[in-house]
Amino acid sequence: MSQVLPSDPRPLFEEATSQVARLIASVRPDQYELSTPCSEFDVRRLVSHCIGGMRRIAVVGEGGDGNAVVSFADEVPDAGLAEAYDAARADALKAWQDEAVLDRQVSVPWGKVPGRGALSGYVLESSAHAWDLREALGRTDPLPPEPAVFALAFARQTLPAERRGADVPFDEVVPAPEGADAHGELAAWLGRRPLGRP
């Protein structure tokens, strides 16, 4: 894992979560029930999961156990989802301000890892969910590629093609569509397929 970890993943995390924030802010009330490339999530459930992820990585950055944090924000009404994500994201960015956290051992759902490994995992998660949301909303505007370029390299090392199955929450690798951007290539590596929604 150390080969692909950046010395400081915080700028990539900030950009990846900024992309998610902009997409969540653009969701119209009539779009929350749209399907997403995550077959078990509609847009509402995916946004709720993104909030839960930010709450989790904030607790991890503060020295807490990420496994103790609920993965969804089911208590938040639709009208408050964008604001709740922004608040959780602000808490996460604040929790990781101290560079020392990057070298501390922390607890996340996939084990005990150095902080920089945990935060890199959330660059991956945020980049993947940015693509999921863009697909679900039928958006075609490009996303800044840097977080997804890193996330793809990280995923190829930590989630090799042969490591899929019961304990890995990703499907088998699929071919990326012709002309796919970095987010599309990452999605294909994680087994996601475009929805083809206009």
Side-chain angles (χ1 to χ4, degrees), residues 32 76-84:
Y32 280 114
V76 180
D78 290 359
L81 287 169
E83 184 179 347

Side-chain angles (χ1 to χ4, degrees), residues 25 37 45 53 55 116 118 122:
R45 192 70 170 155
R55 290 174 174 174
R116 74 185 70 248
Y122 279 85

Side-chain angles (χ1 to χ4, degrees), residues 49-81:
H49 175 63
C50 289
I51 296 167
M54 286 302 95
R55 290 174 174 174
R56 173 173 281 158
I57 198 63
V59 167
V60 169
E62 291 164 353
D65 183 356
N67 297 297
V69 181
V70 178
S71 297
F72 297 93
D74 292 332
E75 81 287 359
V76 180
D78 290 359
L81 287 169

Side-chain angles (χ1 to χ4, degrees), residues 15 19 22-23 134 139-145 181 183:
E15 175 56 40
Q19 293 173 12
R22 289 192 297 272
L23 286 160
R134 186 177 68 173
R139 300 273 295 268
T140 58
D141 44 321
L143 296 167
D181 63 7
H183 284 81

Side-chain angles (χ1 to χ4, degrees), residues 5-20:
L5 293 181
S7 58
D8 187 350
R10 291 175 298 176
L12 292 166
F13 176 73
E14 184 168 3
E15 175 56 40
T17 57
S18 174
Q19 293 173 12
V20 174

Side-chain angles (χ1 to χ4, degrees), residues 18-41:
S18 174
Q19 293 173 12
V20 174
R22 289 192 297 272
L23 286 160
I24 292 173
S26 77
V27 178
R28 300 188 313 265
D30 63 312
Q31 293 178 310
Y32 280 114
E33 293 183 7
L34 292 174
S35 59
T36 75
C38 299
S39 58
E40 69 273 25
F41 293 167

Side-chain angles (χ1 to χ4, degrees), residues 15-195:
E15 175 56 40
T17 57
S18 174
Q19 293 173 12
V20 174
R22 289 192 297 272
L23 286 160
I24 292 173
S26 77
V27 178
R28 300 188 313 265
D30 63 312
Q31 293 178 310
Y32 280 114
E33 293 183 7
L34 292 174
S35 59
T36 75
C38 299
S39 58
E40 69 273 25
F41 293 167
D42 61 10
V43 169
R44 179 182 293 108
R45 192 70 170 155
L46 178 58
V47 171
S48 175
H49 175 63
C50 289
I51 296 167
M54 286 302 95
R55 290 174 174 174
R56 173 173 281 158
I57 198 63
V59 167
V60 169
E62 291 164 353
D65 183 356
N67 297 297
V69 181
V70 178
S71 297
F72 297 93
D74 292 332
E75 81 287 359
V76 180
D78 290 359
L81 287 169
E83 184 179 347
Y85 182 82
D86 289 343
R89 176 177 180 264
D91 289 345
L93 293 173
K94 182 178 179 184
W96 288 84
Q97 282 181 337
D98 184 356
E99 191 172 347
V101 181
L102 298 175
D103 294 316
R104 184 192 308 153
Q105 287 291 115
V106 299
S107 291
V108 287
W110 60 92
K112 283 193 171 289
V113 296
R116 74 185 70 248
L119 200 60
S120 294
Y122 279 85
V123 174
L124 167 59
E125 176 160 326
S126 297
S127 297
H129 290 327
W131 183 85
D132 292 332
L133 280 168
R134 186 177 68 173
E135 274 292 303
L137 300 174
R139 300 273 295 268
T140 58
D141 44 321
L143 296 167
E146 292 79 10
V149 169
F150 162 74
L152 179 59
F154 182 74
R156 283 180 169 153
Q157 188 170 53
T158 59
L159 295 165
E162 60 274 11
R163 272 193 59 212
R164 306 299 161 101
D167 295 333
V168 179
F170 301 104
D171 291 334
E172 292 183 9
V173 175
V174 297
E178 186 175 349
D181 63 7
H183 284 81
E185 290 186 19
L186 171 64
W189 188 260
L190 299 178
R192 287 157 159 78
R193 297 177 185 275
L195 293 172

